[in-house]
Amino acid sequence: MESVVQVSGTVISRPPGQENPKMPTGEIEIKVKTAKLLNSCKKLPFEIKDFVKKTEALRLRYRYLDLRGVQMQYNLRLRSQMVMKMREYLCNLHGFVDIETPTLFKRTPGGAKEFVIPSREPGKFYSLPQSPQQFKQLLMVGGLDRYFQVARCYRDEGSRPDRQPEFTQIDIEMSFVEQTGIQSLIEGLLQYSWPSDKDPVVVPFPSMTFAEALASYGTDKPDTRFGMKIVDISDMFRNTKVGFLQDALSKPQGTIKAICIPEGEKYLKRKDIESIRKFAADHFNQEVLPIFLKTNNNWNSPVAKFIMEEQGLGLIRLLETQEEDVVLLTAGEHKKACSLLGKLRLECADLLEARGVVLRDPALFSFLWVVDFPLFFPKEENPEELEAAHHPFTAPHPSDVHLLYTEPQKVRSQHYDLVLNGSEIGGGSIRIHDAELQHYILATVLKEDVKLLSHLLQALDYGAPPHGGIAIGLDRLMCLVTGAPSIRDVIAFPKSFQGHDLMSNAPDSIPPEELKPYHIQVSWPTDSKTEKSSLNHPCHPES
Amino acid sequence: MESVVQVSGTVISRPPGQENPKMPTGEIEIKVKTAKLLNSCKKLPFEIKDFVKKTEALRLRYRYLDLRGVQMQYNLRLRSQMVMKMREYLCNLHGFVDIETPTLFKRTPGGAKEFVIPSREPGKFYSLPQSPQQFKQLLMVGGLDRYFQVARCYRDEGSRPDRQPEFTQIDIEMSFVEQTGIQSLIEGLLQYSWPSDKDPVVVPFPSMTFAEALASYGTDKPDTRFGMKIVDISDMFRNTKVGFLQDALSKPQGTIKAICIPEGEKYLKRKDIESIRKFAADHFNQEVLPIFLKTNNNWNSPVAKFIMEEQGLGLIRLLETQEEDVVLLTAGEHKKACSLLGKLRLECADLLEARGVVLRDPALFSFLWVVDFPLFFPKEENPEELEAAHHPFTAPHPSDVHLLYTEPQKVRSQHYDLVLNGSEIGGGSIRIHDAELQHYILATVLKEDVKLLSHLLQALDYGAPPHGGIAIGLDRLMCLVTGAPSIRDVIAFPKSFQGHDLMSNAPDSIPPEELKPYHIQVSWPTDSKTEKSSLNHPCHPES
């Protein structure tokens, strides 16, 4: 098994009855004249067959064997083909120039997630950039008006499932372009490069504002393959006598929201409802009220019964409910209530599908543009201060520019996200091309160290054209296209979620003399003995 | 100048006599209806015109302005187009799969030139690989039998002119292939992707053994655009009475070699000859004897006169000299004599060309394969020990395998270099696919730490197919194709030769708290005050 042999002979048809239509070569065989063993295979750690279950740790440790499997071969070959089609579209059909930008760069403001690389100058470090953002804008200043790159990017987020410390994006920037220009370019790009064994991509993609996405789906990346949208039912309850609803509505931004689970009465079990309520209480400190439309079925909930009696017809009309549906109702601050119901919507969809309901067609690819994001968000640790919602180079929405100087938190941006089946696969924006405005946002609004970006600010002053762009996350996109369970299945040699290469055992310890030229030394933790000795062990298997 | 304006109006012909055939838009102009200033340009640090001389430091500092120049636009756009054609050839015409391999890896044996990246685990480091060598071999084991990648590679060589800390190679690997298979693939690749405004590439490329290249050109990367080859004239002097020649021939590997400088009498000045002799004495500790064929012209050199009288006709016959030529003769150990004359050959070619002789046609691209390299070289610091001539995965020449165990220094390899106009632009080899042989070479011959490569050795044991590949240095290739004076002219944002980005001032200092998660601290040199204070200055301009 799995040894390499060289055979010469004559290709003949298989004897009648011995054909195997499941094999690509199942109709023929070779009448062997000579055979030579080129390399033998020793005992395999697992069988190279797709139906043989193995842990991911074992697969990653023997990645070179795992790659021989049908699924990994398909994933990597399809990835290569799709990227090639994208290049043809951009380079040959639309005059883009493929330009490589440096990965040995300097840290960016707030770049806490950037890997550092010591240089031979004491105390000086390169940083691995999270994206070619600055370089692509500088290329626009440099008159390379249509740039793209299949760019390696780096982000050190510690241990995170389904994140990789290095990842790839299709990085694009254009001069003299507006939001719609980038959007139709990307729609064409995906349509052109889409695998021929899938249903063709329909363009243009629908578009939704950030506010609408939050209100109807409780997230900025709605999965639009199915309904169960969030409905605001506040108006129906203006005169309610139920205390906690009155209470919620009396507060600022107070709302009552609901989603309808189709046939929930049939598919959701009592313990599902209980875990839903527990989730809402634990993660959102929110009450969720399940309402069964057959009123007699509202398990010990007098409130639900009362609501059905009082607002039943209104609920049925607004939520378009059927008899066996279940309504989940919550009351509270708009954003919080939407976020919670958005999570429950996905949770319930999973539950229904686990019980055999087909909510999301596996052959369906549902693209969506989300637009009109806020330009800034309040900082989590200090809501008085603002941070860039995406990055500090995003241009404000033209209708909101005047608010920058008075109510910056209200300014919408010219940022756009591309969402596929509920995953964000890309994002971009029209950029600021005016040095003064860029300086104002960096220094006054965001209070960043402007010195770190002086080269970019300076460049904008030398006749920078208006420009904008986008980046598509290639790993995530390929994961969705191939239906792979993890982005590790569309990357040849991925890291484990702890950032390890389980095959070669990277990262590894390094002799101190090899650190000397870089003027650094290791700061061992105080219980350094245990830490040090563990370095000599191979890294632990990870799941 | 250089501001960005938006103009609307009617395109009309220029009035007769006002056409400018030198401009692409020189026949038309716009009758303006409206004009709007989109972004103004402040005072430029230099004019964006190719004939305006500026230092490279200034160009790099304002790279975004330098990129607007005609030459940089041409270089970067041509690079993009050529790479696109290469991808079409490999991916679409020859079934190669474009696979991205990690750049966060572990150090390789003897990898002293690898940048290190601290991880969040104390004392553990990633390394930036010098090439995807290990990964591409592992892909062959993984059944991805035709791999290519336009791969970013990293090498920390400190300050070196015309080297970049990050560079790009066209990286290729195939299973079930022999040397000639890789060679004809690359010939086809270059022919297919060659710019249409150049003379077409003629294939197949000529081939030369390493031994022949050394003997005739004194180097492993001969510039075959012109003659002036090194000739061994030892036999002519077996019975010479000249002492230092007798002396040289009596030693092991002792030879007498010469090159002929065409019309040297006319073009070489006395001070040229003097500086040639000084160079030979200083760098090779060798004597060079210039012989002017018009005997009466041998400036005060009785030895040269004597040699001309004794061996004149033989010299003229062997070197095919004409009356006005000058012969440079040296005596000594074969390799040393060849290396010296190889250097002088190039030096004299430059001198002749500086004086108006056309030796090397600027439109000529002279490709050459150099083959049959030694598998090992003696280590410079300790000639008793061997090191891999290229890398430890190179397969030995089939006819020399038996010598591995007795006289490894005599084993030739299956390595091949691709040379263009005297520059090495690529190199590759058939690899070892036998785990036992690979282990023997690593552990016994090279005395490397086998543990660091255990994953690769293990992979070879699982039915690895025979395989081989090559890497083409894209920056160097583009530099030769565009005729650029430096590889920095074919890279959008290059580093200075001290490894600095003069535009953004990378590498940069980093606040100590950002180093904390990586468990490293800076070891300041003992005179740390002066060093530290210099960190606050912008980096010095470099030429």
Side-chain angles (χ1 to χ4, degrees), chain A residues 285-352:
Chain A
N285 195 24
Q286 282 269 132
E287 188 67 37
V288 169
L289 193 65
I291 302 173
F292 289 74
L293 296 185
K294 297 182 182 166
T295 41
N296 56 348
N297 206 0
N298 276 309
W299 310 312
N300 312 323
S301 172
V303 179
K305 275 183 192 156
F306 180 74
I307 288 174
M308 267 318 284
E309 279 156 25
E310 210 183 15
Q311 273 83 20
L313 283 174
L315 269 184
I316 290 169
R317 182 176 43 79
L318 271 178
L319 290 160
E320 297 174 359
T321 49
Q322 308 288 322
E323 206 183 35
E324 293 211 292
D325 296 354
V326 170
V327 170
L328 297 180
L329 178 149
T330 196
E333 187 267 326
H334 170 74
K335 202 180 148 197
K336 199 169 165 189
C338 290
S339 297
L340 168 59
L341 289 182
K343 287 260 191 308
L344 295 183
R345 173 178 176 265
L346 293 176
E347 193 59 39
C348 293
D350 286 345
L351 279 171
L352 294 181

Side-chain angles (χ1 to χ4, degrees), chain A residues 3 21 54 76 99 134 155 163 165 206 232 313 337 362 371 376 417 470 491 510 531 535:
Chain A
S3 292
K54 49 238 171 201
L76 293 181
I99 298 175
Q134 291 184 45
R155 198 173 297 163
R163 288 288 173 103
D232 191 306
L313 283 174
V371 299
F376 309 109
D417 264 357
I470 194 167
I491 297 172
I510 280 196
E531 289 282 350
L535 290 182

Side-chain angles (χ1 to χ4, degrees), chain A residues 75-112:
Chain A
N75 292 356
L76 293 181
R77 287 172 191 271
L78 183 68
R79 179 176 176 138
S80 169
Q81 283 159 18
M82 253 188 97
V83 172
M84 187 64 202
K85 294 286 275 179
M86 289 184 186
R87 292 179 180 282
E88 286 170 9
Y89 180 84
L90 291 169
C91 213
N92 296 351
L93 303 184
H94 288 88
F96 280 76
V97 185
D98 179 6
I99 298 175
E100 298 170 70
T101 57
T103 58
L104 297 176
F105 192 42
K106 68 187 281 191
R107 75 190 176 100
T108 44

Side-chain angles (χ1 to χ4, degrees), chain A residues 177-193:
Chain A
V177 72
E178 292 178 351
Q179 188 161 324
T180 49
I182 298 285
Q183 288 176 338
S184 59
L185 178 83
I186 295 303
E187 288 161 357
L189 174 75
L190 286 165
Q191 193 173 45
Y192 185 85
S193 61

Side-chain angles (χ1 to χ4, degrees), chain B residues 120-402:
Chain B
R120 285 170 188 254
E121 288 171 72
K124 294 222 177 179
F125 293 81
Y126 298 105
S127 293
L128 291 175
Q130 295 185 42
S131 86
Q133 184 63 35
Q134 291 184 44
F135 289 111
K136 64 180 180 172
Q137 292 194 239
L138 291 165
L139 286 172
M140 295 305 112
V141 181
L144 288 147
D145 53 349
R146 292 184 163 213
Y147 146 89
F148 89 101
Q149 183 182 194
V150 181
R152 193 69 59 90
C153 304
Y154 300 86
R155 198 173 298 162
D156 179 19
E157 305 191 281
S159 300
R160 285 261 221 124
D162 236 32
R163 289 287 173 106
Q164 289 285 315
E166 51 185 319
F167 57 97
T168 303
Q169 64 189 34
I170 309 289
D171 198 48
I172 290 172
E173 196 81 7
M174 291 174 84
S175 293
F176 306 108
V177 72
E178 292 177 351
Q179 188 161 325
T180 50
I182 298 285
Q183 288 174 339
S184 59
L185 178 84
I186 296 302
E187 288 162 357
L189 174 75
L190 286 165
Q191 193 173 45
Y192 185 85
S193 61
W194 205 247
S196 54
D197 61 347
K198 315 273 176 212
D199 288 347
V201 168
V202 179
V203 299
F205 302 155
S207 187
M208 190 183 288
T209 66
F210 171 77
E212 191 185 342
L214 183 69
S216 299
Y217 297 92
T219 174
D220 58 358
K221 35 182 186 284
D223 187 342
T224 46
R225 284 174 298 176
F226 67 104
M228 290 170 56
K229 292 206 262 184
I230 302 166
V231 178
D232 191 306
I233 51 174
S234 308
D235 284 346
M236 232 159 60
F237 289 92
R238 293 288 166 211
N239 303 315
T240 183
K241 282 167 196 108
V242 181
F244 82 98
L245 298 181
Q246 275 183 335
D247 208 41
L249 285 178
S250 68
K251 288 187 183 150
Q253 303 273 339
T255 57
I256 302 169
K257 309 267 186 189
I259 55 172
C260 169
I261 320 293
E263 296 185 277
E265 192 132 10
K266 195 160 132 199
Y267 293 108
L268 295 187
K269 295 176 182 152
R270 187 156 191 156
K271 75 167 173 44
D272 297 329
I273 299 290
E274 273 158 21
S275 76
I276 282 169
R277 299 187 74 173
K278 189 170 174 336
F279 173 86
D282 291 354
H283 292 86
F284 288 79
N285 195 23
Q286 283 269 131
E287 188 69 35
V288 169
L289 193 65
I291 301 172
F292 290 73
L293 297 185
K294 296 183 182 165
T295 41
N296 57 349
N297 206 359
N298 276 309
W299 310 310
N300 312 322
S301 171
V303 179
K305 274 184 192 155
F306 181 73
I307 287 173
M308 267 318 283
E309 278 157 24
E310 211 183 13
Q311 273 83 21
L313 282 176
L315 268 184
I316 289 168
R317 183 175 43 79
L318 271 178
L319 290 160
E320 296 174 359
T321 50
Q322 308 289 321
E323 205 184 36
E324 293 212 292
D325 297 353
V326 170
V327 170
L328 297 180
L329 177 149
T330 195
E333 187 267 326
H334 170 73
K335 203 180 145 195
K336 199 170 165 189
C338 290
S339 296
L340 167 60
L341 289 183
K343 287 261 191 307
L344 295 183
R345 172 178 176 267
L346 293 176
E347 194 59 38
C348 291
D350 286 346
L351 279 172
L352 293 182
E353 290 195 326
R355 275 147 211 175
V357 183
V358 180
L359 263 186
R360 293 169 287 202
D361 176 358
L364 184 68
F365 290 92
S366 183
F367 289 97
L368 174 74
W369 291 108
V370 179
V371 298
D372 290 355
F373 281 83
L375 186 54
F376 309 109
F377 282 131
K379 279 188 183 169
E380 248 179 66
E381 63 279 16
N382 177 6
E384 294 296 292
E385 289 180 15
L386 294 178
E387 63 186 357
H390 293 93
H391 59 58
F393 315 115
T394 310
H397 199 289
S399 353
D400 295 355
V401 176
H402 62 286

Side-chain angles (χ1 to χ4, degrees), chain A residues 470-534:
Chain A
I470 194 167
I472 306 287
L474 182 61
D475 308 299
R476 188 78 60 86
L477 173 63
M478 289 315 303
C479 188
L480 291 168
V481 169
T482 59
S486 152
I487 59 167
R488 291 183 294 279
D489 290 319
V490 296
I491 297 172
F493 299 100
K495 302 285 191 295
S496 76
F497 77 89
Q498 291 176 1
H500 291 160
D501 179 341
L502 299 185
M503 179 183 67
S504 73
N505 192 25
D508 203 357
S509 42
I510 280 196
E513 66 269 22
E514 288 191 19
L515 298 179
K516 251 190 198 155
Y518 299 112
H519 309 280
I520 56 165
Q521 59 191 64
V522 177
S523 323
W524 293 100
T526 29
D527 55 334
S528 57
K529 265 185 196 162
T530 46
E531 289 282 350
K532 259 186 181 168
S533 71
S534 78

Side-chain angles (χ1 to χ4, degrees), chain B residues 16 22 165 257 293 309 357 397 401 430 444 489 508 512 524 528:
Chain B
K22 287 180 188 161
K257 309 267 186 189
L293 297 185
E309 278 157 24
V357 183
H397 199 289
V401 176
I430 302 303
T444 310
D489 291 319
D508 203 357
W524 293 101
S528 57

